[in-house]
Amino acid sequence: MRRLSLRSRLLLLTSGLLLAGLTLISAAVASNLERYQLDRIDGQLRALTAILTSVSAGGPPQPVDTAGRPELLDAALDLIGAPYLVYLNADGTVAGGLRTSGLDSGELPATDELNGLSDGTPVSLPAADGDGRWRTVSVTATGWDGTVVAAAPLDDADATIDRLRVTSIVSGAVLLVLLTAIGWLALGRGLRPLRRIAHTAAAIAGGDLTQRVPGLAAPSTEVGHLAASLNTMLGQLERAFADRAEAEARMRTFLSDVSHELRTPLVGIKGSAELYRMGALPERADVDAAMLRIDREATRLTALTEDLLLLARLDEAPEGQLDRAPMDLRTLAGDARHDLRALDPSRTIQLTGPGGDGVPGPAPVDADEDRLRQVVANLVGNAVAHTPPGSAVRIGVGTVGGRAVLDVVDEGPGLTAEQADRVFDRFYRANPSRDRSGGASAGLGLSIARSLARAHGGDVEVRTRLGDGARFRLTLPLAD
């Protein structure tokens, strides 16, 4: 059964139910018709025996001579619905009776079958020759010791029932074949959307994730609901595969960038050590210079490793890296101004509110001060590294839209829209030629800043335009 198609199984199930229904209906109709026929004959026989017992009080009637005109008796018996009437004595012998002239003794019920019948209860008896049945009613006679029996053949009733059954079988078979053919076509049409869905699924299994199930039916129907659900699932699968491919691409890029960034200081360390081993540093000053390069590259390598470990920890458990305490971003803004002045005394540094007007406003937060100092230091370092010396920088702090903010605004060359979209990517440098940090930057500062901000429930955003500077804004939830 499981090897059959859904269409075949549905058709077999439907045809089986239809056959069972037709059979039950046919049996019920035949049974009711047979009961009706028997009730009708029983009513006639009871009425006739009641009349006969009342008119035969003096004993059984004498036989009627119908030798000359037998058709008269036949017509009378047919009219009263009892072709056979018999009077039985108390000992069961036949005292007299009437019957249609066309019946012989072999077609009548056997006399011994007539004895012992219940008073007034209709009984079906076989003919003496076994061909046919009779319906009989026996009533005790009044005025003499005997019984009156009226019998009617069931041949016509049985023939009617047989014709009904044959007609039911033939018409049921024709109807079953016709409805099965119609059902086959209807199921084929009804299951067509499922075949379309199967073809779409096969195409998707072949790698074409852009395929979608077409609108095969109204959304309120089962097929329409299935198509909508499948399309939603397919959209999620396509996005999931796209995200996975993008993540794999980012991972490959990340690994490539990490390899490059780690190789640079390692090459410097290995090269200096190789020169010393080969005796190419005969003077003490040469050795000191080589050691200084090794120390500088080792420091750079240590910082890069620590940044990578911090990013990994923030990706895995951002809240676990924080030690929160109440603080105000104005403290960080004031320290950032001093740091900028120390890095480049020629710069003009302003400390204002978030919009550039007024004095710094209160910005209370519940945060890890050391981590936020790292965020602000990265933003300030980014402004120093990517803007011309002496260009102005503004630091704004306060509250905007129910959140604490700290802005670092520069007057540098700005970024394009594409660069702004990627500026927080790890190891991304918008323009390495403008990096004024001496090549020490690995492109992780802004990534760390955003990751730390998001670990605090905030974010770092950039607003920039090419040739018009950039504004990096740190936003955090206000302290309760």
Side-chain angles (χ1 to χ4, degrees):
M1 186 69 174
R2 292 182 178 179
R3 296 182 180 180
L4 298 177
S5 65
L6 177 61
R7 183 183 186 182
S8 299
R9 281 184 284 173
L10 288 175
L11 188 63
L12 285 176
L13 177 62
T14 305
S15 300
L17 292 175
L18 179 61
L19 178 60
L22 291 175
T23 302
L24 289 176
I25 292 174
S26 177
V29 171
S31 177
N32 287 332
L33 179 59
E34 183 177 15
R35 186 179 301 278
Y36 169 76
Q37 296 275 52
L38 292 177
D39 289 343
R40 180 180 59 81
I41 294 173
D42 291 343
Q44 293 176 345
L45 294 177
R46 284 196 184 98
L48 179 60
T49 53
I51 294 172
L52 291 178
T53 54
S54 63
V55 300
S56 59
Q62 295 300 316
V64 179
D65 185 10
T66 59
R69 301 290 300 275
E71 66 275 6
L72 295 177
L73 180 61
D74 294 347
L77 291 176
D78 290 338
L79 180 62
I80 62 177
Y84 181 44
L85 298 175
V86 61
Y87 297 88
L88 300 178
N89 293 318
D91 58 1
T93 60
V94 177
L98 298 173
R99 67 181 181 188
T100 302
S101 60
L103 295 174
D104 56 34
S105 58
E107 297 176 290
L108 299 175
T111 303
D112 56 349
E113 294 285 349
L114 298 176
N115 293 314
L117 295 179
S118 300
D119 190 17
T121 302
V123 178
S124 296
L125 298 176
D129 58 4
D131 185 14
R133 295 187 306 154
W134 288 77
R135 191 70 170 176
T136 62
V137 173
S138 175
V139 178
T140 302
T142 58
W144 60 281
D145 190 11
T147 56
V148 179
V149 179
L154 295 178
D155 295 343
D156 291 341
D158 290 342
T160 301
I161 299 300
D162 291 340
R163 284 195 300 271
L164 175 63
R165 288 172 176 164
V166 171
T167 303
S168 298
I169 292 173
V170 173
S171 60
V174 173
L175 182 61
L176 181 62
V177 172
L178 180 62
L179 293 180
T180 300
I182 295 174
W184 178 262
L185 297 177
L187 286 174
R189 185 178 182 84
L191 294 176
R192 189 179 304 165
L194 295 182
R195 290 195 294 271
R196 296 282 299 277
I197 293 174
H199 294 159
T200 302
I204 293 170
D208 186 3
L209 296 178
T210 61
Q211 288 286 336
R212 293 293 182 272
V213 178
L216 303 172
S220 58
T221 63
E222 290 81 358
V223 174
H225 183 69
L226 175 62
S229 300
L230 285 177
N231 284 336
T232 301
M233 181 188 69
L234 293 175
Q236 293 174 347
L237 285 176
E238 185 178 10
R239 286 192 297 272
F241 277 98
D243 292 343
R244 188 182 73 173
E246 184 179 354
E248 291 176 350
R250 286 199 304 268
M251 180 60 69
R252 286 193 294 268
T253 303
F254 176 75
L255 292 176
S256 176
D257 291 339
V258 168
S259 300
H260 174 74
E261 295 296 336
L262 293 177
R263 184 173 61 248
T264 301
L266 289 174
V267 168
I269 293 172
K270 181 174 175 44
S272 298
E274 196 67 26
L275 288 175
Y276 177 78
R277 187 181 64 80
M278 294 172 61
L281 304 174
E283 302 296 332
R284 178 66 184 178
D286 296 332
V287 174
D288 291 342
M291 291 300 103
L292 181 60
R293 286 195 300 273
I294 290 175
D295 180 68
R296 185 171 60 246
E297 296 299 333
T299 301
R300 180 183 176 188
L301 182 61
T302 300
L304 176 60
T305 304
E306 290 178 350
D307 287 344
L308 290 173
L309 288 175
L310 175 59
L311 285 172
R313 293 192 189 102
L314 289 173
D315 289 341
E316 183 177 357
E319 281 292 333
Q321 312 304 315
L322 305 179
D323 185 13
R324 294 177 181 268
M327 61 167 297
D328 197 306
L329 293 183
R330 286 181 295 184
T331 303
L332 301 183
D335 293 344
R337 179 175 62 176
H338 295 305
D339 293 341
L340 264 172
R341 188 164 292 158
L343 290 172
D344 189 353
S346 64
R347 291 180 183 270
T348 301
I349 304 169
Q350 290 181 295
L351 189 59
T352 68
D357 300 326
V359 297
V365 295
D366 185 17
D368 188 326
E369 183 174 348
D370 291 337
R371 293 303 187 186
L372 288 188
R373 285 187 182 278
Q374 188 174 358
V375 173
V376 176
N378 285 342
L379 297 181
V380 170
N382 179 74
V384 172
H386 297 91
T387 58
S391 60
V393 175
R394 180 176 64 82
I395 301 175
V397 64
T399 304
V400 175
R403 294 175 73 84
V405 301
L406 187 149
D407 293 338
V408 177
V409 184
D410 63 56
E411 296 181 358
L415 300 168
T416 64
E418 180 183 358
Q419 290 171 339
D421 290 338
R422 298 190 57 196
V423 73
F424 294 102
D425 291 349
R426 298 172 186 182
F427 296 109
Y428 177 73
R429 298 185 183 89
N431 193 342
S433 64
R434 296 184 181 183
D435 189 345
R436 303 180 182 276
S437 62
S441 172
L444 293 176
L446 293 179
S447 298
I448 292 174
R450 170 167 275 185
S451 296
L452 287 172
R454 289 182 172 176
H456 283 84
D459 203 354
V460 176
E461 299 173 342
V462 61
R463 179 177 293 179
T464 182
R465 188 168 57 187
L466 193 61
D468 197 23
R471 186 200 72 184
F472 287 85
R473 168 169 286 185
L474 167 65
T475 62
L476 296 171
L478 288 171
D480 297 334

